[in-house]
Each structure stands twice: as C-alpha cells, then as structure tokens.
Amino acid sequence: MHGTHLCITGQPDERSLRLRYMHNQSYGFNSFEPGDSVEIVNVHTLLGEFAGRVTDTKRIDDYEWTVTLDRVIGSLDIEDGRAVENISATPSLRVANSYFTLVPTRGILVTTRRRVEIYGNIFDRIPMPAIHISDDVRGWYESGPVRDVTIKGNRFVECGSPVVCVNPETDRYEGPVHTGIRIIDNEFIMNGGEAIGARGVADVTVSGNKISGRHEAQPVRVDTDR
C-alpha cells in the first residue's frame, strides 16, 4: 500500500514541472488532478522540500506529464535528483484479524502518510519481513513517509528478519523519514535475526512485546540517527 514517486526531469517555467514515471510496472495514468496537493522530495534524503497545489496537468506520453502548480517553485537541483508525490491521493489502511502464510515475499508493505492500523493478525513463516515500511525514489519509486502507524496484538511465527522492518531507502541522512510508529503488545516467535529493525525514524514506541525462540542478542534495533 503506497503511492508513486514521479521524478522531475525539467522545469518548463517557474510554476511547472515535467515529470516522468520511472518504473515499467507503473505508468500510463494521470497521478494528479487540479486541487491536489503535491510535495517535492529529495531522492537522497526522502525529505520534502516544497509543497504546492496542482492547477493543471498535461499528458506528454505514457511516461511523461507536465504539472502546473499554484505558486512559484524556484530553482531545483534536478541533476541531484528530485521527485514529486501526490500527498492528497494517499491511502489509509486497516488490516485486522487476518491470517498470512504461503507468501513468497513480504506479508504487508505499507508506506503512506495516512493512518495505518495492523492488529490481531497472524503472520506464519513469511520468508521476508512480515511488515515492511519502506519509501524510495531510486528503485521501485514507492512513496512516501508514514506518520501514524499502529502495529498491535499480532502474532509473528518464524518470519524473515527483521520481522517488522522500517527501512527508508536513503543514502544521505538529514533527518527522520518516518514518524509516529507504535509497535505494542505483539508476540514474536523467532527463528533467527531481529524482531524489530528500524532506521531513519523518530517518535517510535516499542512496548509490551513478547519475543521468544532463537534471535539476536538484541532483537530490537531502533536507529534514530541514520
């Protein structure tokens, strides 16, 4: 559950951006409508640098669009890498009382700034992280940051490590990407590795979790400075 980053390839004028879909599995549709709010994101830090409201969009081809905003954008370092996310068209998510197994990848991939609630579920031997919070602008182009996530009362049975993974794909650290994460009252039955691994975060609560089985000496890792 995520949005799509479109990379900025040009600035036709002081209020307009030329944008491109970068992944060959996501293109051909208009990601923006007049009235939508957008954020310009640094591809290296994943932090927002400018926000505006869409006044017009024009299709160039299946991959490229021009978007006009309601204000002067100013000079952007396009060569260094900048992208745009539609922050109006972001989903909320509630996953409750479900059973996950026989999944070849992750159980849940979620990266959205609206409310996320994941509670009362069983994740049974998911080979990768059972819950993965990412955000990137250089691979899958899956946006954006999380601001309000509750992971509560779930049971994780021998899933991949880290079982709950928060890993924004940055190569420069200038501040936290993800905030407002609560991982509480879960049960982790481990078969190696970490129960919780998080980086690029702030305002994270980890409490009341039960961790058993074979795991790292420190099964919970929360890095707030990288």
Side-chain angles (χ1 to χ4, degrees):
M1 181 70 71
H2 56 80
T4 300
H5 281 123
L6 278 74
C7 282
I8 299 173
T9 60
Q11 286 186 264
D13 58 56
E14 63 182 7
R15 294 176 183 264
S16 297
L17 299 169
R18 183 165 177 155
L19 307 177
R20 181 173 179 82
Y21 289 101
M22 303 300 292
H23 199 280
N24 62 10
Q25 294 177 1
S26 178
Y27 67 94
F29 57 95
N30 188 2
S31 287
F32 309 96
E33 297 290 344
D36 287 346
S37 294
V38 299
E39 185 173 71
I40 295 176
V41 178
N42 184 305
V43 305
H44 302 282
T45 67
L46 296 177
L47 300 179
E49 297 183 340
F50 180 89
R53 193 174 297 275
V54 175
T55 60
D56 190 32
T57 67
K58 292 182 180 178
R59 179 183 180 276
I60 299 170
D61 56 35
D62 281 351
Y63 283 89
E64 292 198 296
W65 296 73
T66 298
V67 173
T68 302
L69 304 185
D70 64 343
R71 64 197 66 183
V72 174
I73 299 166
S75 179
L76 298 173
D77 191 348
I78 296 173
E79 292 298 320
D80 185 57
R82 298 296 184 270
V84 171
E85 180 188 18
N86 186 334
I87 61 176
S88 291
T90 55
S92 58
L93 176 68
R94 176 181 294 168
V95 182
N97 305 318
S98 299
Y99 180 73
F100 293 80
T101 192
L102 300 177
V103 178
T105 54
R106 308 168 187 89
I108 297 173
L109 170 66
V110 59
T111 172
T112 175
R113 64 188 69 211
R114 295 188 191 271
R115 177 173 293 178
V116 174
E117 298 173 295
I118 302 172
Y119 60 88
N121 304 286
I122 298 173
F123 297 85
D124 187 358
R125 295 174 176 84
I126 306 299
M128 295 172 70
I131 299 173
H132 189 189
I133 298 171
S134 183
D135 191 11
D136 84 281
V137 197
R138 290 175 296 150
W140 292 95
Y141 300 90
E142 296 170 346
S143 63
V146 302
R147 296 288 180 259
D148 181 3
V149 176
T150 301
I151 300 169
K152 181 177 181 180
N154 301 283
R155 189 168 190 254
F156 302 96
V157 181
E158 296 184 357
C159 296
S161 172
V163 178
V164 176
C165 177
V166 184
N167 185 35
E169 297 190 22
T170 57
D171 61 3
R172 298 177 194 161
Y173 182 81
E174 295 182 5
V177 175
H178 298 303
T179 61
I181 301 171
R182 296 164 295 280
I183 306 170
I184 53 179
D185 299 335
N186 301 283
E187 181 182 7
F188 296 85
I189 301 172
M190 303 293 294
N191 189 28
E194 297 175 325
I196 299 167
R199 57 175 289 271
V201 295
D203 185 22
V204 176
T205 300
V206 178
S207 68
N209 299 291
K210 180 181 178 182
I211 303 172
S212 62
R214 183 171 59 87
H215 54 73
E216 296 286 345
Q218 297 294 329
V220 175
R221 172 182 50 83
V222 178
D223 296 324
T224 59
D225 58 355
R226 69 179 185 92

